[in-house]
Amino acid sequence: MRYWTQVVVATPAHSAIAGPLTYRSESPLSPGTLVRVPLGKREVLGVVWKVLPDSGELPEAQTRAIASVLGGLAPLSETWRKLVTFTAGYYQRSLGEVALAALPPQLRELSTLQLARRLKRAVMDSSSPQDTTDLIALSADQTRVLAEFDAENLARQRPALLFGATGSGKTEVYLRAAAQVLAQDPSAQVLVMVPEINLTPQLQARFQDRFAHLGKERVVSLHSGLTPAQRLKSWLAAHSGQARLVLGTRMAVLASLPHLRLLVVDEEHDPSFKQQEGARYSARDLAVYRAKLETGEAQHPHGACRVLLGSATPSLESWQATITGRYQRLTMSERIGADQADGGGQGHLPTVRRVDMNHQPKHCVIAPPLLAAISERVARGEQSLIFLNRRGYAPVLACHDCDWKSDCPHCSAYRVFHKIDRTLRCHHCGFTERVPRACPSCGNIDIAPVGRGTERLEEHLSELLAGVLRPDGTAVRVTRIDADTTRLKGALESQLASVHAGEVDVLVGTQMIAKGHDFRHITLVAAVNPDGALFSSDFRAPERLFSLLMQAAGRAGRDARRSEASEMWVQTFHPAHPLFAALKAHDYPAFAAQQLAERQAAGLSPFGFSALVRAEAKTQEVAQGFLNAAAAAAQTQQLADHARVTPYPAVPMTIQRVANIERAQMLIESPSRAALQRFLAAWQPVLFETRKQSQFKSLVRWAIDVDPLAI
């Protein structure tokens, strides 16, 4: 007997193959089964999506057979398939692209026999349980929010937003919530997501220590920094249910977790949770949707699947959801600062000091009062963190005679000067050259850096603090942590260990050290040049700046014994700006109210909905022409909900040329999410047909970004 089986395979988003392909099999296969199927001249991995009844309408000669079945693996669950279907539909991508991207790459290469060996090895590697770690005492805030979260679980089961000050002990709440879920159900699984890979090992260590009694194989990580073999091993452990607790970045939201009972999204506001390539999904939003799906499908005796979002500076979308009652709000306003077990007691948020740079010496980089404060910290044996979100020595190298600048020949951007290896490096396409001995335009040997990056700031601080001595009489130690100093494997862990060990006095870095890290000896944090985002054309720029500064401030005074003297210094030419006033008061609700009022008046998120359609071509004219032609065709054809959708004319992107490819974008807005979705779905075929027109032959690619972070 022949069985007709629909299988999804990895296909480009806008190819002629958008949905499942039909194959024949000799036996019935369960939906979710992994198979190998012929596609053209290749044999590829696929997922069985649906089994059709035997039909004479499908000619056997034109329908190819499934090559093999990956035995030993349980089929991917119906909930997982629904999640993938929603993701592909909402973010306007092909089903196979999303489904196969959610699977570990090495799974595509393994034969049935190789997979069987991996599964056997995974079982053999399983560790025996160990003793439980002693628990620290909870604060009053932590006890209250855990009780409120648990009470909601028995009532409305809304997503919960944990609004907790930096250092208030949000991680301990995650640990206790996870422990409760795992204790209630012997098969339950918990997913904890963090925004950055460099935060995963730190969090993993805490979770492995707390849940050591489960055995080390029960706590696994899932992120792109793992080797293919490590990623496959973690995925198999999660899919089989062997892993009870999974820690990961945004990719983990699409992992197969058949017994998922709790999702935690730490730093839920972070833009890193938005995928910027392929299916441009928001892992935070998918976590909320997945919890709803898991609850709807749940057959568990211990209730629904919950989602817990945590942040000291929540996204305005999540904050508005708590105002309307869609989300439960849990608040922890008091800082712990030190483990209660150490007797550290109550912690304090740092005092915020604004330095008016209009009243400081001209061309001053570090204001004299800030330099004096840093020197005092060094003399007392305390640490300082200087934050500048720009790596390299200087953002541009320039000749003041002929006005030459270090432009990138392949991008509409400058190449950054890196002094340590004497290179000019484009941070967009990667093009790198040695620094010229003289100006390439006029021959002037006096070419100089303009502006400052972390590398130059590190050098400058070392010079300014040269005469300052530590308590033991030794010279000050200035260290830089950014993407350039942490390229080698293990470099970040080694540098962070030095900071924690007190071997660094002044730490200079970008946003990678301004959030998530628990630096116990830092009592002063300074933001050197934060003004750029105050007047950006991107409406989300103030939200991101406030969040980043609040997170940076949270690195100071995390030890309660030092917290009263902790400070956050902000050097600005606009000290009266409302953003800095809210920052000084640590008043996120006031900042959020002001921003939400502006957005509501303008019809922006979360009160309006948008998508960006981006096009890349050899010329800007072709890229913009394609978008405008597709919009005109949509108007002519009067697509679904076109009257409730506003497409704006195509414009160049902020950085319009990258790697010799011109980039343009078109903004689509609507007051209704449903109307926008219906329009985009109906517009997809129009875009595909417009792409075939002869004048757009040089078009490289196009893509839709739903709920974009930057406009």
XYZ file of all heavy atoms in Angstrom, residues 430-504:
555
model
N 33.641 43.979 6.968
C 34.863 43.320 7.397
C 36.110 43.699 6.613
O 37.204 43.202 6.908
N 35.989 44.586 5.612
C 37.151 44.973 4.802
C 38.197 45.649 5.688
O 37.913 46.600 6.414
C 36.717 45.914 3.678
C 37.854 46.396 2.820
C 38.537 45.518 1.987
C 38.241 47.723 2.841
C 39.588 45.955 1.202
C 39.283 48.175 2.064
C 39.961 47.282 1.236
N 39.430 45.148 5.620
C 40.507 45.620 6.495
C 41.759 45.936 5.680
O 42.122 45.186 4.770
C 40.844 44.563 7.561
O 39.657 44.249 8.306
C 41.914 45.056 8.520
N 42.382 47.052 6.004
C 43.658 47.439 5.386
C 44.576 47.998 6.464
O 44.107 48.469 7.514
C 43.444 48.516 4.323
C 42.921 48.025 3.000
C 42.896 49.125 1.959
O 42.741 50.302 2.342
O 43.040 48.819 0.768
N 45.878 47.961 6.167
C 46.835 48.596 7.056
C 46.655 50.105 6.996
O 46.258 50.671 5.978
C 48.260 48.243 6.641
C 48.576 46.762 6.702
C 48.728 46.272 8.123
N 49.833 46.904 8.842
C 50.080 46.728 10.140
N 49.270 45.967 10.861
N 51.107 47.305 10.716
N 46.934 50.791 8.098
C 46.841 52.251 8.124
C 47.888 52.828 7.174
O 49.064 52.458 7.235
C 47.073 52.780 9.553
C 47.158 54.301 9.551
C 45.968 52.300 10.479
N 47.492 53.715 6.260
C 48.471 54.292 5.316
C 49.471 55.188 6.044
O 49.161 55.808 7.065
C 47.588 55.096 4.363
C 46.351 55.414 5.149
C 46.131 54.239 6.052
N 50.694 55.257 5.491
C 51.731 56.116 6.085
C 51.427 57.590 5.861
O 51.873 58.454 6.616
C 53.105 55.773 5.495
C 53.587 54.372 5.852
C 54.959 54.109 5.249
N 55.452 52.779 5.601
C 56.107 52.496 6.719
N 56.344 53.466 7.595
N 56.506 51.271 6.978
N 50.699 57.882 4.784
C 50.336 59.256 4.456
C 48.940 59.252 3.861
O 48.392 58.207 3.511
C 51.338 59.848 3.473
N 48.364 60.442 3.740
C 47.020 60.568 3.187
C 46.987 60.020 1.759
O 47.774 60.462 0.913
C 46.584 62.034 3.190
S 45.008 62.323 2.355
N 46.108 59.053 1.459
C 46.031 58.491 0.106
C 45.606 59.506 -0.940
O 45.825 59.304 -2.131
C 44.965 57.390 0.243
C 44.871 57.099 1.692
C 45.174 58.396 2.378
N 45.034 60.637 -0.503
C 44.537 61.631 -1.445
C 45.558 62.709 -1.765
O 45.793 63.021 -2.931
C 43.260 62.278 -0.888
O 42.765 63.257 -1.758
N 46.218 63.273 -0.722
C 47.134 64.398 -0.961
C 48.566 64.118 -0.523
O 49.453 64.943 -0.761
C 46.612 65.653 -0.267
S 46.699 65.589 1.542
N 48.824 63.014 0.152
C 50.184 62.676 0.569
C 50.599 63.267 1.895
O 51.735 63.046 2.340
N 49.719 64.011 2.552
C 50.034 64.602 3.850
C 50.280 63.502 4.884
O 49.475 62.584 5.027
C 48.868 65.503 4.280
C 49.058 66.053 5.690
O 50.175 66.254 6.137
N 47.948 66.292 6.374
N 51.400 63.583 5.598
C 51.717 62.538 6.578
C 51.010 62.769 7.905
O 51.030 61.913 8.786
C 53.241 62.438 6.822
C 53.788 63.760 7.385
C 53.962 62.031 5.546
C 55.232 63.655 7.845
N 50.380 63.932 8.035
C 49.721 64.267 9.299
C 48.240 63.880 9.232
O 47.356 64.723 9.159
C 49.870 65.758 9.586
C 49.392 66.125 10.997
O 49.305 65.208 11.830
O 49.103 67.308 11.235
N 47.964 62.572 9.247
C 46.576 62.097 9.332
C 46.326 61.681 10.779
O 47.202 61.123 11.441
C 46.301 60.933 8.357
C 47.315 59.792 8.544
C 46.310 61.424 6.927
C 47.043 58.592 7.659
N 45.132 61.985 11.272
C 44.882 61.832 12.707
C 43.528 61.191 12.969
O 42.596 61.321 12.169
C 44.946 63.202 13.391
N 43.408 60.507 14.090
C 42.112 59.920 14.466
C 41.123 60.995 14.901
O 41.503 61.997 15.513
C 42.466 58.989 15.624
C 43.733 59.552 16.200
C 44.471 60.162 15.045
N 39.855 60.776 14.585
C 38.786 61.688 14.984
C 37.777 60.898 15.814
O 37.314 59.842 15.389
C 38.088 62.301 13.753
C 36.932 63.201 14.187
C 39.078 63.072 12.903
N 37.439 61.443 16.983
C 36.521 60.726 17.861
C 37.261 59.684 18.693
O 38.483 59.505 18.572
N 36.503 58.969 19.512
C 37.118 57.995 20.417
C 36.316 56.706 20.475
O 35.094 56.724 20.470
C 37.236 58.566 21.842
C 38.216 59.702 21.953
C 38.339 60.233 23.356
N 39.209 61.397 23.350
C 40.530 61.332 23.461
N 41.113 60.158 23.623
N 41.264 62.426 23.425
N 37.058 55.601 20.539
C 36.473 54.304 20.813
C 37.054 53.782 22.118
O 37.861 54.453 22.776
N 36.685 52.581 22.495
C 37.131 52.031 23.777
C 38.645 51.863 23.838
O 39.252 52.021 24.893
C 36.460 50.677 24.042
O 36.588 49.843 22.877
C 34.984 50.849 24.358
N 39.254 51.540 22.689
C 40.711 51.349 22.681
C 41.435 52.650 23.014
O 42.396 52.678 23.800
C 41.131 50.841 21.297
C 42.595 50.426 21.209
C 42.968 49.952 19.809
O 42.062 49.530 19.049
O 44.161 50.010 19.474
N 40.971 53.753 22.428
C 41.593 55.049 22.692
C 41.281 55.527 24.100
O 42.123 56.139 24.769
C 41.108 56.074 21.666
C 41.889 57.389 21.694
C 41.425 58.326 20.596
N 42.303 59.488 20.498
C 42.090 60.519 19.691
N 41.031 60.512 18.879
N 42.924 61.538 19.658
N 40.063 55.246 24.561
C 39.684 55.642 25.912
C 40.530 54.902 26.945
O 40.950 55.487 27.957
C 38.198 55.354 26.141
C 37.615 55.765 27.489
C 37.755 57.269 27.704
C 36.144 55.365 27.583
N 40.809 53.637 26.715
C 41.671 52.861 27.612
C 43.056 53.497 27.696
O 43.616 53.673 28.796
C 41.780 51.427 27.106
C 42.737 50.552 27.931
C 43.058 49.235 27.240
O 42.900 49.146 26.007
O 43.493 48.298 27.939
N 43.602 53.856 26.548
C 44.922 54.486 26.509
C 44.912 55.826 27.241
O 45.822 56.147 28.021
C 45.339 54.680 25.050
C 46.686 55.348 24.865
C 47.006 55.581 23.394
O 47.526 54.662 22.747
O 46.718 56.679 22.883
N 43.851 56.620 27.001
C 43.754 57.942 27.611
C 43.635 57.842 29.132
O 44.289 58.603 29.872
C 42.542 58.668 27.031
C 42.408 60.096 27.464
N 43.385 61.046 27.241
C 41.400 60.739 28.134
C 42.999 62.211 27.735
N 41.797 62.051 28.291
N 42.824 56.913 29.616
C 42.683 56.745 31.064
C 43.978 56.277 31.710
O 44.312 56.695 32.832
C 41.559 55.746 31.360
C 40.134 56.316 31.335
C 39.107 55.193 31.328
C 39.901 57.236 32.539
N 44.706 55.412 31.027
C 45.996 54.952 31.565
C 46.948 56.131 31.742
O 47.697 56.202 32.730
C 46.611 53.907 30.627
O 45.798 52.756 30.554
N 46.894 57.083 30.810
C 47.751 58.274 30.916
C 47.285 59.183 32.056
O 48.097 59.683 32.843
C 47.728 59.036 29.591
C 48.359 58.282 28.424
C 48.105 58.960 27.092
O 47.339 59.965 27.091
O 48.641 58.496 26.071
N 45.957 59.404 32.138
C 45.427 60.298 33.171
C 45.650 59.760 34.582
O 45.827 60.537 35.527
C 43.923 60.517 32.946
C 43.515 61.309 31.704
C 41.987 61.312 31.566
C 44.034 62.742 31.771
N 45.644 58.432 34.726
C 45.762 57.818 36.059
C 47.172 57.317 36.361
O 47.374 56.571 37.318
C 44.778 56.646 36.177
C 43.289 57.005 36.060
C 42.436 55.742 35.944
C 42.842 57.839 37.261
N 48.130 57.746 35.558
C 49.505 57.236 35.704
C 50.087 57.515 37.086
O 50.867 56.721 37.620
C 50.395 57.836 34.616
N 49.696 58.627 37.690
C 50.262 58.967 38.998
C 49.454 58.485 40.180
O 49.844 58.700 41.339
N 48.358 57.813 39.922
C 47.488 57.340 41.000
C 47.954 55.963 41.462
O 48.230 55.081 40.646
C 46.016 57.272 40.522
C 45.122 56.753 41.641
C 45.549 58.641 40.049
N 48.030 55.782 42.774
C 48.509 54.515 43.324
C 47.387 53.782 44.048
O 46.497 54.387 44.641
C 49.663 54.760 44.301
C 50.917 55.417 43.712
C 51.959 55.606 44.803
C 51.492 54.576 42.577
N 47.460 52.476 44.008
C 46.531 51.622 44.712
C 46.909 51.561 46.201
O 47.982 52.026 46.583
C 46.547 50.225 44.087
C 46.201 50.210 42.613
C 46.308 48.836 42.002
N 45.362 47.912 42.626
C 45.706 46.915 43.418
N 46.983 46.695 43.709
N 44.793 46.115 43.944
N 46.066 51.002 47.067
C 46.389 50.959 48.500
C 47.725 50.293 48.806
O 48.381 50.646 49.803
C 45.225 50.149 49.096
C 44.092 50.382 48.158
C 44.708 50.477 46.800
N 48.151 49.334 47.960
C 49.426 48.666 48.224
C 50.606 49.379 47.582
O 51.728 48.866 47.573
C 49.375 47.211 47.737
C 49.091 47.115 46.239
O 49.003 48.169 45.567
O 48.959 45.977 45.734
N 50.352 50.584 46.999
C 51.430 51.378 46.421
C 51.756 51.046 44.985
O 52.673 51.652 44.394
N 51.052 50.124 44.368
C 51.315 49.750 42.972
C 50.501 50.630 42.027
O 49.566 51.317 42.426
C 50.972 48.271 42.722
O 49.596 48.053 43.065
C 51.855 47.377 43.579
N 50.874 50.581 40.741
C 50.237 51.423 39.731
C 48.832 50.919 39.407
O 48.504 49.740 39.598
C 51.083 51.444 38.462
N 47.999 51.835 38.918
C 46.627 51.507 38.561
C 46.608 50.542 37.376
O 47.472 50.579 36.502
C 45.846 52.804 38.223
C 46.401 53.459 36.979
C 44.366 52.512 38.054
N 45.609 49.671 37.348
C 45.485 48.672 36.284
C 44.191 48.934 35.509
O 43.098 48.809 36.062
C 45.476 47.265 36.871
C 46.745 46.934 37.674
C 46.544 45.742 38.582
N 45.512 45.980 39.573
C 45.204 45.128 40.553
N 45.864 44.006 40.683
N 44.237 45.404 41.405
N 44.346 49.334 34.243
C 43.214 49.631 33.366
C 43.082 48.497 32.352
O 44.058 48.113 31.706
C 43.408 50.977 32.635
C 42.199 51.273 31.743
C 43.621 52.102 33.632
N 41.879 47.952 32.207
C 41.629 46.830 31.290
C 40.418 47.146 30.424
O 39.480 47.808 30.869
C 41.373 45.528 32.070
O 42.560 45.177 32.781
C 41.012 44.382 31.134
N 40.459 46.653 29.194
C 39.354 46.860 28.253
C 38.726 45.522 27.894
O 39.422 44.550 27.606
C 39.885 47.562 26.990
C 38.894 47.612 25.824
C 39.440 48.523 24.728
N 40.774 48.149 24.330
C 41.059 47.401 23.257
N 40.092 46.925 22.503
N 42.310 47.114 22.952
N 37.391 45.484 27.903
C 36.650 44.304 27.451
C 35.651 44.740 26.382
O 34.736 45.521 26.660
C 35.897 43.608 28.602
C 36.883 43.074 29.646
C 35.036 42.475 28.069
C 36.219 42.332 30.797
N 35.862 44.279 25.164
C 34.925 44.516 24.068
C 35.068 43.382 23.067
O 35.786 42.398 23.316
C 35.144 45.888 23.414
C 36.569 46.092 22.903
O 37.249 45.081 22.602
O 37.008 47.251 22.788
N 34.415 43.493 21.923
C 34.434 42.411 20.933
C 35.831 42.150 20.393
O 36.131 41.044 19.940
C 33.478 42.735 19.781
N 36.714 43.159 20.434
C 38.075 42.984 19.910
C 38.974 42.224 20.875
O 39.851 41.474 20.452
C 38.698 44.355 19.593
C 37.953 45.087 18.487
O 37.592 44.428 17.488
O 37.724 46.296 18.618
N 38.764 42.408 22.173
C 39.650 41.758 23.147
C 39.157 40.369 23.538
O 39.832 39.661 24.281
C 39.768 42.608 24.432
O 38.487 42.680 25.071
C 40.278 44.005 24.104
N 37.979 39.980 23.059
C 37.410 38.696 23.480
C 37.183 37.754 22.299
O 36.307 36.885 22.352
C 36.072 38.924 24.217
O 35.176 39.661 23.361
C 36.292 39.711 25.491
N 37.948 37.929 21.243
C 37.745 37.098 20.049
C 38.191 35.657 20.258
O 37.588 34.729 19.744
C 38.501 37.700 18.858
C 37.874 38.975 18.328
C 38.620 39.498 17.120
N 37.966 40.696 16.584
C 38.408 41.362 15.545
N 39.503 40.968 14.920
N 37.773 42.440 15.112
N 39.252 35.467 20.982
C 39.777 34.120 21.178
C 38.908 33.345 22.160
O 38.322 33.921 23.091
C 41.224 34.174 21.680
C 42.242 34.835 20.749
C 43.618 34.864 21.404
C 42.309 34.114 19.413
N 38.825 32.057 21.969
C 38.017 31.198 22.832
C 38.533 31.261 24.271
O 39.722 31.118 24.520
C 38.063 29.754 22.316
C 37.154 28.795 23.082
C 37.174 27.423 22.459
C 36.310 26.430 23.210
N 34.886 26.820 23.254
N 37.659 31.512 25.193
C 38.018 31.578 26.607
C 38.511 32.930 27.063
O 38.730 33.136 28.261
N 38.691 33.881 26.120
C 39.239 35.193 26.490
C 38.287 35.958 27.394
O 38.707 36.574 28.378
C 39.550 36.005 25.236
N 36.998 35.940 27.075
C 36.032 36.673 27.887
C 35.986 36.116 29.308
O 36.016 36.873 30.287
C 34.648 36.605 27.249
C 33.521 37.256 28.052
C 33.772 38.744 28.222
C 32.171 37.032 27.376
N 35.921 34.793 29.435
C 35.863 34.181 30.767
C 37.092 34.544 31.581
O 37.008 34.840 32.777
C 35.744 32.656 30.650
C 34.406 32.156 30.114
C 34.260 32.309 28.618
O 35.243 32.702 27.953
O 33.163 32.041 28.098
N 38.269 34.546 30.928
C 39.515 34.873 31.613
C 39.522 36.325 32.095
O 39.915 36.617 33.234
C 40.700 34.622 30.677
O 41.908 35.042 31.258
N 39.058 37.245 31.230
C 39.044 38.657 31.608
C 38.030 38.936 32.711
O 38.296 39.714 33.632
C 38.745 39.521 30.377
C 39.906 39.567 29.381
C 39.571 40.427 28.177
O 38.691 40.106 27.390
N 40.270 41.531 28.026
N 36.878 38.312 32.628
C 35.875 38.501 33.680
C 36.370 37.955 35.018
O 36.121 38.550 36.072
C 34.561 37.818 33.289
C 33.773 38.453 32.144
C 32.557 37.604 31.804
C 33.342 39.873 32.504
N 37.083 36.837 34.962
C 37.645 36.267 36.190
C 38.629 37.235 36.838
O 38.676 37.360 38.073
C 38.325 34.933 35.882
N 39.404 37.950 36.013
C 40.348 38.938 36.546
C 39.622 40.078 37.245
O 40.061 40.570 38.288
C 41.216 39.500 35.409
O 42.023 38.491 34.847
N 38.500 40.502 36.651
C 37.714 41.573 37.272
C 37.149 41.107 38.605
O 37.236 41.800 39.619
C 36.578 42.024 36.327
C 35.727 43.101 37.013
C 37.137 42.557 35.014
N 36.558 39.911 38.614
C 35.961 39.383 39.850
C 37.023 39.162 40.932
O 36.729 39.278 42.130
C 35.248 38.066 39.562
C 33.996 38.232 38.742
N 32.966 39.057 39.121
C 33.622 37.675 37.552
C 31.992 39.006 38.217
N 32.376 38.171 37.252
N 38.255 38.845 40.513
C 39.330 38.590 41.479
C 39.964 39.874 42.001
O 40.880 39.820 42.833
C 40.400 37.706 40.834
N 39.512 41.024 41.521
C 40.062 42.293 41.985
C 41.383 42.659 41.347
O 42.107 43.511 41.876
N 41.703 42.037 40.209
C 42.974 42.315 39.533
C 42.871 43.468 38.549
O 43.809 43.745 37.809
C 43.447 41.053 38.804
C 43.713 39.879 39.745
C 43.920 38.574 38.999
O 43.876 38.592 37.753
O 44.106 37.536 39.663
N 41.726 44.135 38.502
C 41.484 45.275 37.617
C 40.947 46.421 38.454
O 40.094 46.224 39.327
C 40.463 44.905 36.506
C 40.086 46.126 35.685
C 41.005 43.802 35.626
